[in-house]
């Protein structure tokens, strides 16, 4: 205590000895506060019960008033903050949560992340990060092994998210086709090719890099939501013949909705053929957005043998594994350890270059490392900061990924993936047998399902909604969208938002655009926890049918 004013000495919050640090006690206080809100831990969201200041404006007002001196002990502060700010947060480990693509965190990964946070590891070079730089190299080594790329040839870096992996892929292509861009900026004739089902981060990265979304070339998708190779060739040839430089081609390695994986090897062959046909002085960079799909690299026979004989999940898993193995044909690809099967804390994204020389092109300023004098390069043996978009990077993400990879092993990852895909396919089969419901993506090989519910006077007609361009179908789509949005709003307000029990899912206003030009809405069911199984999916289908029956009466009454 400070004898002068009776306040706690601020230096007590910076313990030199780890043995005497209050860090673990404060963590326990936070977890105890969470346990008060969620005694069993199985709610899909942290309940708001017990939060003193539940509304946004009240929280901002209370915590936004900075005191001159601390008004409470650190333990009391941590307990109150946990109850106030975490109320309403999703619980990714809950089998009832199918809200979106996140990750139930492996506690071994979160422990290492926490240690790195308290140690405050800057993943800049070995002078600041010590051996943590080796953790980053180890992850690249693992990914190289999984794809059959020589480990000494590959090189990878952790970055701030999936958008970061896109930015690296685009930037590598710009450096290849327009090396003068380092000093003169990106030329206006540079183009980037993306896919129809690309995540919005592809366009966002092009915007932030100064290319502009008008310079994006979009490859259309086929009915299986895979990118049309023939259309891609026609589009790229058109750009090259117009005198444009194609910097990067980004294709799908597991889309957000359907987990669609393009024919990676065929796109690599196309890129090489066009490079030769047009005698290009560079080779367009092929990047695969595999931040979700990379997990299928973990699949093995041991995991498949746990499935029932003849399980449709086994065929889906094998085919997806075959497609994803072609990542070795790409120049770079992304991994989000903080999504789905990655089971690491956010953020924990990784960009893997199959050839280190592509990454070396990204050297800051395009010059010698000696020019980065502020970082004392000549005293660091390992210096990933030479190439990273960020200067300051947290070391916890590298340690979390290594901890997760080694605590689960390939068999553990494969078992989690197999369980999720089996549960999703069982869900689709069960839902498809119910009246007034349909699955919009039965072709999907992954673990996400888009669901369409129909007004009581309609029968499921998803195929017609998707592919019939007739004007009458456009009206059908609009009516169906209105019904589905109203159902979700009602179920969200009367059950999900009040912790009414049962599955928590989300709504997408535009799953895709139909042949009639209308956006098609869908309910999004996204199981991600390793704790989920068929029994939870059955309960989800039963509850959805019950809720629809109740809502249909409300809908009929409103239409009367």
């Amino acid at each position: 205590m400070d004898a002068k004013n009776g306040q706690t000495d601020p230096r007590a919050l910076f313990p030199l000895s780890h043995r005497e640090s209050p860090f673990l006690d404060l963590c326990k206080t936070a977890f105890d506060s969470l346990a008060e809100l969620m005694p069993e831990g199985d709610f899909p969201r942290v309940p708001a019960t017990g939060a003193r200041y539940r509304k946004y404006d009240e929280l901002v007002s209370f915590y936004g008033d900075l005191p001159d001196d601390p008004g409470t002990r650190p333990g009391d502060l941590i307990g109150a903050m946990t109850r106030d700010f975490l109320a309403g947060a999703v619980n990714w480990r809950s089998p009832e949560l199918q809200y979106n693509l996140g990750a139930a965190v492996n506690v071994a990964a979160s422990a290492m992340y926490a240690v790195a946070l308290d140690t405050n590891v800057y993943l800049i070079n070995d002078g600041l990060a010590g051996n943590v730089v080796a953790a980053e190299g180890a992850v690249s080594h693992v990914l190289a092994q999984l794809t059959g790329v020589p480990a000494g040839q590959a090189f990878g870096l952790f970055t701030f998210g999936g958008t970061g992996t896109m930015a690296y892929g685009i930037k590598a292509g710009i450096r290849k086709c327009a090396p003068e861009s380092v000093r003169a900026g990106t030329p206006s004739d540079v183009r980037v090719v993306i896919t129809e089902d690309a995540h919005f981060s592809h366009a966002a990265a092009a915007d932030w890099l100064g290319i502009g979304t008008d310079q994006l070339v979009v490859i259309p998708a086929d009915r299986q939501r895979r990118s049309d190779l023939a259309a891609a060739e026609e589009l790229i040839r058109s750009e090259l013949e117009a005198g444009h430089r194609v910097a990067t081609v980004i294709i799908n390695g597991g889309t957000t909705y359907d987990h669609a994986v393009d024919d990676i090897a065929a796109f690599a062959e196309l890129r090489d053929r066009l490079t030769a046909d047009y005698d290009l002085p560079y080779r367009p960079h092929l990047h695969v957005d595999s931040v979700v799909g990379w997990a299928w690299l973990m699949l093995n026979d041991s995991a498949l043998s746990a499935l029932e004989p003849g399980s449709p999940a086994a065929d889906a898993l094998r085919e997806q594994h075959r497609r994803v193995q072609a990542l070795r044909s790409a120049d770079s690809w992304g991994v989000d350890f903080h999504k789905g099967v990655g089971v690491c804390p956010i953020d924990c994204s990784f960009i893997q270059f199959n050839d280190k020389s592509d990454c070396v092109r990204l050297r800051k300023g395009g010059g010698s490392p000696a020019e980065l004098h502020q970082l004392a390069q000549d005293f660091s043996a390992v210096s990933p900061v030479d190439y990273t978009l960020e200067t300051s990077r947290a070391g916890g993400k590298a340690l979390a990924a290594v901890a997760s990879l080694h605590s689960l092993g390939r068999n553990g990852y494969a078992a989690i993936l197999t369980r999720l895909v089996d549960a999703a396919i069982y869900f689709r089969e069960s839902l498809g047998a119910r009246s007034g419901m349909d699955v919009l993506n039965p072709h999907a090989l992954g673990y996400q399902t888009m669901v369409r519910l129909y007004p009581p006077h309609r029968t499921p007609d998803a195929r017609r909604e998707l592919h019939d361009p007739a004007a009458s179908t456009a009206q059908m789509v609009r009516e169906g969208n209105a019904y589905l949005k109203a159902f979700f709003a009602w179920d969200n307000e009367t059950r999900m938002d009040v912790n009414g029990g049962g599955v928590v899912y989300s709504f997408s206003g535009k799953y895709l655009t139909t042949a009639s030009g209308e956006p098609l809405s869908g309910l999004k069911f996204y199981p991600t926890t390793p704790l989920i199984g068929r029994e939870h999916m059955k309960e989800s289908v039963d509850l959805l049918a019950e809720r629809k029956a109740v809502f249909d009466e409300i809908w009929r009454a409103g239409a009367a």
Side-chain angles (χ1 to χ4, degrees), residues 146 261 293 295-300 304 315-326 410 417 445:
L146 290 171
V261 177
W296 273 263
L297 292 170
M298 295 289 193
L299 193 65
N300 56 23
L304 290 172
D315 292 337
L317 285 158
R318 287 193 184 95
E319 175 58 21
Q320 192 80 319
H321 178 245
R322 183 192 69 79
R323 294 178 183 182
V324 171
Q325 280 185 311
R410 183 168 184 173
L417 176 64
L445 302 179

Side-chain angles (χ1 to χ4, degrees), residues 474-485:
Q475 180 61 26
M476 289 169 56
V477 173
R478 287 193 290 269
E479 290 176 352
N481 287 347
Y483 169 85
L484 195 65
K485 185 175 183 179

Side-chain angles (χ1 to χ4, degrees), residues 462-482:
R463 303 293 82 72
R464 186 179 176 207
E465 281 193 311
L466 285 169
H467 305 303
D468 186 347
S472 60
T473 303
Q475 180 61 26
M476 289 169 56
V477 173
R478 287 193 290 269
E479 290 176 352
N481 287 347

Side-chain angles (χ1 to χ4, degrees), residues 200 259 323 407:
F200 66 82
H259 296 172
R323 294 178 183 182
S407 61

Side-chain angles (χ1 to χ4, degrees), residues 9 111 263 292 312 329 354 371 378 398 456 500 505:
D9 187 337
D263 191 337
V292 179
S329 303
N354 285 338
E371 295 175 10
D378 46 340
Y505 55 91

Side-chain angles (χ1 to χ4, degrees), residues 532-552:
I532 205 163
R534 289 188 176 191
E535 66 276 17
H536 302 106
M537 306 312 279
K538 182 180 184 305
E539 291 170 1
S540 299
V541 173
D542 290 343
L543 179 60
L544 194 63
E546 291 172 10
R547 297 293 287 174
K548 184 182 188 307
V550 174
F551 181 73
D552 281 353

Side-chain angles (χ1 to χ4, degrees), residues 139-194:
V139 172
S140 180
H141 197 285
V142 167
L143 297 177
Q145 282 185 334
L146 290 171
T147 48
V149 173
Q153 174 182 307
F155 186 79
L157 299 162
F158 278 94
T159 187
F160 60 84
T163 304
T165 65
M166 296 306 117
Y168 274 98
I170 294 173
K171 191 65 174 178
I174 294 173
R175 288 284 177 93
K176 287 179 177 180
C177 76
E180 74 277 15
S181 64
V182 175
R183 292 176 173 80
T186 303
S188 61
D189 64 346
V190 166
R191 299 291 183 269
V192 171
V193 179
I194 65 172

Side-chain angles (χ1 to χ4, degrees), residues 97-444:
L97 184 75
Q98 298 188 47
Y99 184 76
N100 206 353
L101 181 57
V105 176
N106 175 350
V107 291
S110 55
M112 288 308 304
Y113 210 125
V115 169
L117 287 173
D118 192 54
T119 309
N120 204 19
V121 176
Y122 284 69
L123 191 52
I124 290 178
N125 54 33
D126 57 356
L128 280 165
N131 284 344
V132 175
V133 292
E136 186 167 54
V139 172
S140 180
H141 197 285
V142 167
L143 297 177
Q145 282 185 334
L146 290 171
T147 48
V149 173
Q153 174 182 307
F155 186 79
L157 299 162
F158 278 94
T159 187
F160 60 84
T163 304
T165 65
M166 296 306 117
Y168 274 98
I170 294 173
K171 191 65 174 178
I174 294 173
R175 288 284 177 93
K176 287 179 177 180
C177 76
E180 74 277 15
S181 64
V182 175
R183 292 176 173 80
T186 303
S188 61
D189 64 346
V190 166
R191 299 291 183 269
V192 171
V193 179
I194 65 172
T195 65
E196 181 180 346
D197 286 355
H199 189 270
F200 66 82
S201 62
H202 299 196
D207 172 21
W208 280 95
L209 288 170
I211 294 170
T213 56
D214 285 350
Q215 315 311 322
L216 295 175
V217 179
V218 182
I219 307 169
D222 62 20
R223 288 194 175 190
Q224 302 300 311
R225 309 315 304 169
R226 301 180 79 194
S227 300
D228 188 321
L229 188 68
E233 178 169 358
E234 184 178 342
L235 287 166
I236 296 172
R237 283 188 183 278
S238 177
E239 294 297 330
L240 294 173
E241 289 170 7
H244 299 152
R245 285 180 275 187
V246 176
T248 301
V249 178
I250 305 177
I251 60 175
N252 302 320
T255 52
T256 302
Y257 282 125
D258 293 345
H259 296 172
V261 177
D262 290 334
D263 191 337
I264 302 170
F267 269 93
E269 188 277 330
L270 171 63
R271 182 271 316 272
D272 292 344
R273 179 157 44 83
L274 294 178
T275 300
D277 287 353
Y278 291 89
D279 194 24
L280 299 178
Y282 65 94
R283 191 175 77 158
H285 189 84
L286 181 63
H287 179 82
V288 183
D289 183 5
S290 53
V291 295
V292 179
W294 74 276
W296 273 263
L297 292 170
M298 295 289 193
L299 193 65
N300 56 23
D301 291 336
S302 174
L304 290 172
S305 66
L307 295 171
E308 296 178 357
S311 167
D315 292 337
L317 285 158
R318 287 193 184 95
E319 175 58 21
Q320 192 80 319
H321 178 245
R322 183 192 69 79
R323 294 178 183 182
V324 171
Q325 280 185 311
L327 281 169
R328 67 172 70 91
S329 303
D331 293 317
S332 61
W333 46 287
V335 172
D336 275 359
F337 286 102
H338 60 255
K339 287 179 180 171
V341 181
V343 296
C344 282
I346 193 168
D347 56 32
C348 196
S349 291
F350 197 83
I351 172 73
Q352 174 83 336
F353 291 91
N354 285 338
D355 189 330
K356 183 177 181 178
S357 63
D358 285 337
C359 184
V360 171
R361 294 175 189 271
L362 301 178
R363 189 182 298 280
K364 283 183 168 63
S368 158
E371 295 175 10
L372 303 177
H373 57 86
Q374 301 97 328
L375 301 173
Q377 299 295 117
D378 46 340
F379 295 102
S380 294
V382 183
S383 185
V385 76
D386 288 0
Y387 320 113
T388 56
L389 170 62
E390 311 97 322
T391 299
S392 298
R393 289 189 304 148
K397 55 188 74 178
L399 296 180
V402 172
S404 191
L405 288 166
H406 280 267
S407 61
L408 286 170
R410 183 168 184 173
N411 287 339
Y413 273 96
I416 293 171
L417 176 64
T418 300
R419 187 174 182 85
L420 290 176
V421 173
D422 180 68
I425 291 179
Y426 175 81
F427 174 78
R428 294 173 199 159
E429 291 177 341
S430 301
L431 186 138
R434 298 299 184 103
S435 175
M437 305 180 183
D438 203 4
V439 174
L440 292 175
N441 58 341
H443 55 271

